[in-house]
Amino acid sequence: MKQISKKVRFNWKIVIYLLLAVVLIYVLFPILWMIITSLKSEQEALLIPPTWFPKKITTFGFRYMWQMKPFLIYFKNSLLTAGPTAIFSTLFGGLAAYSVSRFRFPLRKFFMGFVLCTQMIPGVLLVGPYFKVLNKFQLYDTHLALILGYTAVALPFCTWMLKGYFDSIPRELDEATLVDGCTKFTAFFKVILPLSFPGIVATGVFSFLLAWGDLLWALCLTSSESMSTVTLGIANSVGEYRVVWPALMAAALIACVPSIVFYSFLQKYIVSGMTKGGVKG
Amino acid sequence: MFKKSMIFVLLIILCFSSVASSAKTVVRFQDWHMTEDVWLKCLKEVKADYEKLHPEVEIRFEPVAHKDKSNKFIIASEAKNAPDVVHCEIQDIPPYIAKGYLLNLNDLIEKEDKNFLDQWADGPKQICNYYGQMRAMPDNAQSIVLFYNPRLFKQAGLDPNKPPTTWEEFREYAKKLTNGKDQWGFGMVANKSASLISRFFPILWSFGGDIFNEDMTKSKLDSPESIEAFEFFVDLYIKDGVTPPAPNEMSAQDVRTYFSQEKVAMQFGSGFTISIVDQLNPSLKAPEVLKCAPLPVGKNKVTFSQMDFWGISANTKVKEEAWEFVKYLTSKEVQTKFFIDNGVTSARIDVGESELIKNNKFGNVISEQIPYGKAMPMFIGMNEVNDAIIIATQEALTKQKTPEAALKDASAKVNSIIARYK
Amino acid sequence: MRFSLSDKLLAYLLLLPAALVLFFVLLFPMVSTLLTSFGIELNNFNFTFDNYVRLFKDPEFWNSFKNTLIFVPISVIGDLVLGLSVALLLNQKIKGRKFFRVLVLLPWMIPSVVTGATWRWMYNPISGIINSILLRVGLIEEPVLWLSSKSIALFSIIMANIWRGFPYVMLIMLTGLQSIDSDIYEAGTIDGVNSWQKFIYLTLPNLKKNIIVVLALTTVWEFRQIDLVKTMTGGGPGSLTEVLVSFVFKQYFEFFQFDYASAIAVIMSVLMLIISIPYIKGILAD
């Protein structure tokens, strides 16, 4: 009996690995191709038909990108917009989600619907009028303009996601703290926040990446090179007359590094499962 | 502690430096060329020279990728916060003028010499002229010509000194230069871009076809001549197979890449072509090896006038300074520099017809063809017309429709566009 | 010292920061879009339905409408299926899962402009790596025209789109899976149910809320997705891959038809609203 179950488990693992392999090829092949390309020389990257591996590995792409573009400034700008965006949208979204999740009030449905609706107008049409608003407040070409814009785009997603997470926390728990003499507001910080931490982190990662990867708003709402974000800087290097593929790929890969670091750092919170221990009543 | 105070000092210096720079008048300058390194180097030199001449002015670069250039300018102009000096292509001019994005330069020009405008060729000047108002200044004026690879000509048994002179000959040459595997006679650009327009219109005109009738009240795309031209163009791929597969995915840059690797023997291009091809594959030695010739001739001898312009934003706050800078950009000195660095031929007569260009193997052909150049029609809905033609071309190339049906559909669309703008 | 606010007031106060940001950024653009679509300008209050009439007669609009109705559902379902499967896989105790969890998120971290440019290049018949490998391996004899064949162009873009979109779903699903009590599974193991039954009867119901959220958000998200279409085909060949949002983009930025673009956007929003009503009901059901 024991042996059979072991066997079954063993086969299951093979299936998992096989599936994982297929998915990994689909997921990783383009990334692998980007890495390979980034290590080629400019001329080799353009060869027809393409070479599968670099004939001669070179760091040309990385050097070129670094020399041609003020990447440190780009990174600074991206961090200064994506970081606050992640914080603000998660915080504001969290508060709103808590309200919708734990209180019953007439505008509840309307608010959740409205929040989703704000996302339905394509960014193309938002960016023009928003520009006029920014002019009124003298915010054009500032980080704040981008932070506010991205927060508004990310907020609905954050609210919806966090509402889902908060709902999964049993209501008895925060009621218990209420009995202990806390206000609903402190219950939020003492119970809900720690318990839904994985969700909050996931939401933060989401908003961070949204702001990091955006092009249209950064393109239209900044003017000087000193305000340019990483994504905009990269988009600008897809020139009309020349695409330096190795450098473009190198830049795209480097642009991922902060996100990877950010995510790896937070990953343990997402997957730790530490939060569940105390929940069972 | 030391570190902290260092940072503090640095911050103060930064503050002061920004104060110092803000004392200058800033002229915001948008040009897609700033995202291309050869051009960027050239423009940076121009900027440095200009700032030396005018120490009270700071030229602030606002780089933007070519594909995003009008998006950005539209949004900024709608919000009345656009860059002061902007580089435009010919198809941008009518809508920018119609939307009121570009400043009327008349009173600025009046302050100049009486003969100030005489230095520019009439063709480009006419484009800028909107009911007597100059709304932009001409930058370069070029013509589309045929670039070919004499080495591949020789291999195919063709005389490298006798490029094709008629379209039929062109097709025969292209067939001979195609091996069906990894070499093609002609590099067709048919992706969604104005590059297709500038490379197809000459054929259309040459066959006697046209986009509009003379008073621009009706489409002429459904005329037999237009259809013949369109079928000739599309069949280069569908029937003759002389162009690499999926031309509808090929950008001008893709074609130049094929050309630089000798996978394609002939392509259409202009002044900018050689320096890019040289960069794509230096081992080809493009400036020495490659040659160019006038486009083949059909019923008419005609080519496409490729032109760029400098505009000043209508809501600029530094009108005078922006004008000074535009004058500098269009000066003989800078225009000559543009030719030397990047191969584009100037709309200025004293540069475009100078010995320098006449003695250049490519510049010579390009400038000689300028009199045969025909510009894109100045119609406010031209972008929509172009889009209809691009869609028709792609539909025919991917066999969604027959060439005739595709072009007739485009013609109907063009008629409704004309009707809408009446 | 504790002052008690009425619950209702507190509830509204909690909504306030979010509402303020949304109003500041989006209220004016939304109102302006709506007004523009009716041809109303600041100095001209004339009201017209022309843009809507034109839209219903425009075959290009209906074409992009149809393409959107293919593009969005397939992308959303693809995102969900792939995201959920990968989340389930990476929730197993396998070697190197931490590493893989970072790796599969990469597609999401790469700017979509680069994603589009890279996939377009990989799909190229001559210079693309996909055809190059398939030809060398012998799976095909002629290069496949991924982005130029009538039957597959849109699906080629969807492939790239799912590649880009699924990591986000995976992340949400992973956090959802983490919050399911392992006790439930242990109870299941004792009862002798197989893995499939476990998935259907234990995992899925527990993920219900997450799935609703993901469906709602990816639907809206994919409707707005424009970078890939723009960079890969620009809507071509012909208008085979034109979707609503790229059509809006074209009308606005290339044709300067601000009012017409706004009308399309309004219709698009109404469409999205109708689609998302069940989601809104789902997320608010207790």
Side-chain angles (χ1 to χ4, degrees):
Chain A
M1 191 64 204
K2 254 194 175 166
Q3 271 206 310
I4 289 170
S5 75
K6 233 184 189 174
K7 220 178 182 180
V8 168
R9 202 170 282 170
F10 179 64
N11 283 340
W12 181 229
K13 260 196 172 161
I14 285 185
V15 174
I16 289 176
Y17 278 114
L18 267 179
L19 273 174
L20 201 59
V22 173
V23 170
L24 278 181
I25 290 176
Y26 172 55
V27 171
L28 296 184
F29 180 73
I31 292 175
L32 188 69
W33 182 238
M34 292 175 78
I35 295 172
I36 290 173
T37 307
S38 73
L39 296 172
K40 288 179 176 177
S41 69
E42 186 185 1
Q43 276 72 38
E44 193 188 346
L46 294 170
L47 277 189
I48 303 164
T51 49
W52 291 11
F53 296 102
K55 282 186 228 158
K56 194 174 154 244
I57 289 180
T58 154
T59 54
F60 158 79
F62 291 87
R63 275 183 287 129
Y64 179 89
M65 216 61 205
W66 204 257
Q67 283 159 8
M68 288 306 295
K69 302 267 172 179
F71 254 85
L72 282 178
I73 295 177
Y74 295 166
F75 271 118
K76 185 197 81 186
N77 288 327
S78 276
L79 285 173
L80 283 180
T81 48
T85 301
I87 293 166
F88 284 134
S89 50
T90 315
L91 178 68
F92 296 168
L95 292 176
Y98 177 63
S99 165
V100 179
S101 171
R102 288 302 192 261
F103 296 90
R104 292 290 168 271
F105 54 93
L107 284 179
R108 212 169 134 255
K109 253 190 194 133
F110 171 80
F111 182 78
M112 286 306 267
F114 166 75
V115 153
L116 200 61
C117 286
T118 56
Q119 291 312 293
M120 290 176 184
I121 304 255
V124 188
L125 290 164
L126 296 179
V127 81
Y130 179 50
F131 196 134
K132 290 179 192 167
V133 175
L134 293 178
N135 266 347
K136 273 253 151 46
F137 293 88
Q138 306 250 316
L139 283 176
Y140 173 67
D141 206 21
T142 61
H143 289 128
L144 188 59
L146 286 181
I147 293 168
L148 281 173
Y150 293 145
T151 305
V153 175
L155 247 180
F157 292 83
C158 298
T159 313
W160 270 67
M161 278 166 78
L162 289 172
K163 157 91 166 73
Y165 291 121
F166 294 169
D167 281 353
S168 68
I169 297 166
R171 196 152 303 181
E172 300 84 51
L173 272 180
D174 33 325
E175 269 154 27
T177 53
L178 289 183
V179 176
D180 292 347
C182 293
T183 60
K184 284 210 171 177
F185 200 64
T186 44
F188 174 66
F189 286 101
K190 278 199 173 155
V191 181
I192 310 270
L193 221 51
L195 284 183
S196 52
F197 205 66
I200 288 174
V201 169
T203 316
V205 170
F206 169 82
S207 339
F208 183 87
L209 285 177
L210 182 139
W212 189 273
D214 168 81
L215 175 61
L216 185 68
W217 294 59
L219 171 75
C220 294
L221 302 179
T222 65
S223 70
S224 43
E225 177 120 55
S226 58
M227 283 300 301
S228 174
T229 63
V230 172
T231 307
L232 181 57
I234 291 176
N236 275 349
S237 59
V238 187
E240 163 74 353
Y241 298 125
R242 189 183 185 195
V243 183
V244 187
W245 281 105
L248 180 67
M249 297 296 145
L253 292 170
I254 292 177
C256 294
V257 171
S259 311
I260 293 173
V261 172
F262 182 62
Y263 174 74
S264 316
F265 173 70
L266 291 170
Q267 174 168 232
K268 61 172 185 275
Y269 299 107
I270 297 183
V271 292
S272 65
M274 59 166 189
T275 52
K276 277 296 142 184
V279 176
K280 281 164 284 167
Chain B
M1 197 57 217
F2 175 71
K3 259 189 189 167
K4 265 189 187 167
S5 52
M6 275 301 285
I7 289 170
F8 188 67
V9 169
L10 268 177
L11 273 177
I12 288 180
I13 292 171
L14 269 177
C15 287
F16 271 98
S17 59
S18 65
V19 166
S21 65
S22 67
K24 289 186 179 179
T25 313
V26 174
V27 174
R28 293 168 57 198
F29 175 34
Q30 177 184 313
D31 187 350
W32 71 90
H33 281 322
M34 289 161 198
T35 61
E36 288 141 15
D37 39 346
V38 186
W39 267 106
L40 179 65
K41 185 171 158 278
C42 168
L43 288 172
K44 270 186 180 160
E45 288 161 12
V46 169
K47 169 185 150 100
D49 289 347
Y50 185 77
E51 285 174 349
K52 224 179 270 166
L53 286 172
H54 301 262
E56 75 291 352
V57 173
E58 182 199 340
I59 303 296
R60 186 173 293 162
F61 278 12
E62 301 198 354
V64 61
H66 181 267
K67 61 182 175 2
D68 297 323
K69 74 174 196 312
S70 51
N71 310 355
K72 187 167 174 153
F73 190 69
I74 292 168
I75 290 287
S77 294
E78 284 294 316
K80 309 223 180 309
N81 197 347
D84 303 304
V85 175
V86 61
H87 196 184
C88 310
E89 288 182 298
I90 184 164
Q91 68 268 25
D92 302 329
I93 297 288
Y96 283 5
I97 292 177
K99 288 280 170 192
Y101 298 163
L102 296 180
L103 188 75
N104 177 4
L105 305 176
N106 279 11
D107 53 335
L108 292 164
I109 293 171
E110 268 162 32
K111 283 182 210 153
E112 303 297 327
D113 280 352
K114 231 185 183 177
N115 308 327
F116 178 72
L117 282 180
D118 294 353
Q119 294 153 38
W120 282 273
D122 285 336
K125 261 192 307 203
Q126 241 143 44
I127 307 284
C128 308
N129 193 322
Y130 178 71
Y131 297 112
Q133 303 174 351
M134 282 294 277
R135 292 297 184 109
M137 284 298 288
D139 177 31
N140 57 51
Q142 311 186 67
S143 58
I144 294 285
V145 293
L146 177 75
F147 285 86
Y148 65 97
N149 186 329
R151 221 149 53 191
L152 296 181
F153 268 50
K154 249 182 233 161
Q155 277 171 23
L158 298 166
D159 184 352
N161 292 319
K162 280 190 186 153
T165 49
T166 65
W167 290 111
E168 210 33 62
E169 213 178 357
F170 173 78
R171 194 209 310 248
E172 290 312 314
Y173 273 54
K175 275 185 190 164
K176 284 190 187 145
L177 289 160
T178 302
N179 71 5
K181 216 173 80 230
D182 61 355
Q183 185 187 312
W184 293 272
F186 173 57
M188 184 189 288
V189 181
N191 76 334
K192 291 220 167 176
S193 73
S195 310
L196 163 62
I197 295 300
S198 59
R199 286 159 180 78
F200 168 64
F201 280 9
I203 298 181
L204 179 73
W205 290 325
S206 177
F207 274 71
D210 211 336
I211 307 133
F212 305 111
N213 62 359
E214 267 177 31
D215 47 1
M216 279 173 108
T217 50
K218 228 179 135 284
S219 156
K220 246 183 103 179
L221 286 174
D222 55 356
S223 70
E225 292 87 0
S226 301
I227 292 172
E228 196 195 341
F230 189 67
E231 276 175 344
F232 172 81
F233 187 66
V234 169
D235 282 348
L236 286 174
Y237 173 58
I238 294 185
K239 284 209 182 125
D240 308 327
V242 297
T243 181
N248 55 295
E249 290 175 37
M250 299 272 272
S251 67
Q253 182 65 10
D254 292 332
V255 167
R256 285 190 286 260
T257 307
Y258 280 63
F259 191 58
S260 74
Q261 295 183 28
E262 311 197 88
K263 307 278 175 194
V264 153
M266 297 186 282
Q267 69 147 78
F268 298 165
S270 197
F272 43 78
T273 302
I274 288 298
S275 62
I276 303 170
V277 170
D278 191 31
Q279 206 171 44
L280 287 170
N281 184 10
S283 61
L284 176 68
K285 299 209 169 53
E288 293 159 40
V289 172
L290 299 180
K291 284 191 170 174
C292 76
L295 290 184
V297 182
K299 278 182 192 155
N300 306 312
K301 179 170 174 57
V302 63
T303 180
F304 185 87
S305 302
Q306 185 92 20
M307 292 181 242
D308 287 352
F309 301 89
W310 300 108
I312 297 181
S313 163
N315 42 62
T316 179
K317 291 181 189 84
V318 288
K319 194 170 150 187
E320 304 290 335
E321 288 84 352
W323 172 244
E324 272 310 309
F325 185 55
V326 167
K327 256 173 34 191
Y328 186 68
L329 286 172
T330 55
S331 67
K332 186 175 175 188
E333 182 194 348
V334 173
Q335 290 286 315
T336 308
K337 182 177 171 55
F338 285 169
F339 174 74
I340 294 170
D341 289 2
N342 300 292
V344 296
T345 49
S346 172
R348 276 184 79 100
I349 296 166
D350 51 359
V351 181
E353 293 175 6
S354 66
E355 289 301 307
L356 178 75
I357 289 181
K358 285 209 171 119
N359 292 332
N360 180 292
K361 145 177 163 195
F362 303 105
N364 181 30
V365 180
I366 292 164
S367 64
E368 266 181 9
Q369 293 303 306
I370 286 177
Y372 303 102
K374 211 169 153 176
M376 191 183 283
M378 287 292 98
F379 169 54
I380 164 86
M382 202 56 210
N383 282 352
E384 287 172 74
V385 172
N386 288 346
D387 187 65
I389 294 171
I390 293 169
I391 288 180
T393 313
Q394 292 198 342
E395 282 172 343
L397 286 171
T398 53
K399 295 185 188 160
Q400 298 172 49
K401 291 178 186 164
T402 63
E404 191 178 343
L407 197 65
K408 281 194 167 154
D409 286 354
S411 178
K413 263 193 235 170
V414 170
N415 277 329
S416 71
I417 295 164
I418 296 172
R420 182 148 38 77
Y421 279 104
K422 242 178 199 165
Chain C
M1 207 186 77
R2 202 155 52 106
F3 51 91
S4 80
L5 291 158
S6 86
D7 277 359
K8 231 185 211 171
L9 188 61
L10 179 60
Y12 286 124
L13 269 182
L14 290 173
L15 295 183
L16 198 64
L20 278 181
V21 172
L22 288 177
F23 274 121
F24 180 78
V25 177
L26 299 173
L27 185 70
F28 178 58
M30 285 172 81
V31 172
S32 138
T33 301
L34 197 64
L35 293 183
T36 316
S37 78
F38 289 107
I40 301 171
E41 288 162 28
L42 276 179
N43 46 10
N44 176 10
F45 287 92
N46 284 339
F47 185 91
T48 165
F49 284 107
D50 284 359
N51 293 310
Y52 291 92
V53 176
R54 178 177 161 200
L55 180 154
F56 279 100
K57 284 196 241 159
D58 187 349
E60 282 191 63
F61 166 76
W62 289 111
N63 171 58
S64 49
F65 189 86
K66 187 198 81 197
N67 286 337
T68 306
L69 290 189
I70 299 170
F71 182 84
V72 173
I74 297 183
S75 297
V76 170
I77 291 167
D79 284 345
L80 185 71
V81 170
L82 194 62
L84 184 55
S85 340
V86 175
L88 285 169
L89 285 173
L90 292 180
N91 202 37
Q92 307 289 330
K93 286 194 175 60
I94 48 170
K95 260 188 206 141
R97 67 172 180 176
K98 261 196 180 160
F99 174 67
F100 283 130
R101 275 175 186 164
V102 177
L103 217 53
V104 296
L105 278 187
L106 271 178
W108 188 25
M109 294 172 176
I110 291 165
S112 52
V113 200
V114 179
T115 306
T118 309
W119 276 85
R120 183 179 89 99
W121 185 34
M122 294 200 310
Y123 277 139
N124 189 287
I126 304 294
S127 57
I129 183 72
I130 296 181
N131 275 317
S132 165
I133 288 179
L134 290 180
L135 281 170
R136 190 88 66 91
V137 174
L139 279 174
I140 49 171
E141 308 231 310
E142 290 265 298
V144 179
L145 307 183
W146 296 103
L147 294 171
S148 304
S149 311
K150 203 176 168 186
S151 44
I152 53 173
L154 190 55
F155 294 95
S156 301
I157 299 184
I158 292 176
M159 275 290 277
N161 192 33
I162 293 175
W163 182 78
R164 185 195 137 66
F166 88 91
Y168 154 69
V169 178
M170 190 217 70
L171 188 63
I172 299 187
M173 289 303 163
L174 204 56
T175 52
L177 287 171
Q178 290 294 322
S179 64
I180 297 175
D181 270 324
S182 47
D183 291 16
I184 309 180
Y185 283 110
E186 276 156 32
T189 324
I190 294 164
D191 295 343
V193 287
N194 67 29
S195 326
W196 179 246
Q197 286 167 324
K198 245 198 250 173
F199 174 68
I200 295 288
Y201 296 111
L202 297 174
T203 314
L204 269 189
N206 274 297
L207 284 178
K208 199 180 135 208
K209 273 261 154 96
N210 295 73
I211 290 176
I212 293 174
V213 170
V214 158
L215 278 177
L217 298 186
T218 39
T219 306
V220 174
W221 201 242
E222 297 299 0
F223 257 103
R224 294 163 55 96
Q225 170 65 39
I226 183 168
D227 291 344
L228 290 190
V229 172
K230 234 30 266 154
T231 47
M232 288 174 77
T233 61
S239 30
L240 277 181
T241 58
E242 192 85 81
V243 289
L244 276 175
V245 60
S246 66
F247 190 57
V248 172
F249 193 93
K250 189 163 94 172
Q251 292 290 343
Y252 194 95
F253 281 133
E254 285 168 32
F255 299 168
F256 297 78
Q257 308 270 312
F258 301 154
D259 47 354
Y260 189 47
S262 302
I264 303 163
V266 170
I267 293 292
M268 206 177 127
S269 315
V270 171
L271 179 70
M272 275 197 259
L273 192 63
I274 295 169
I275 293 172
S276 51
I277 284 174
Y279 299 143
I280 298 175
K281 280 196 174 146
I283 188 89
L284 290 173
D286 293 295

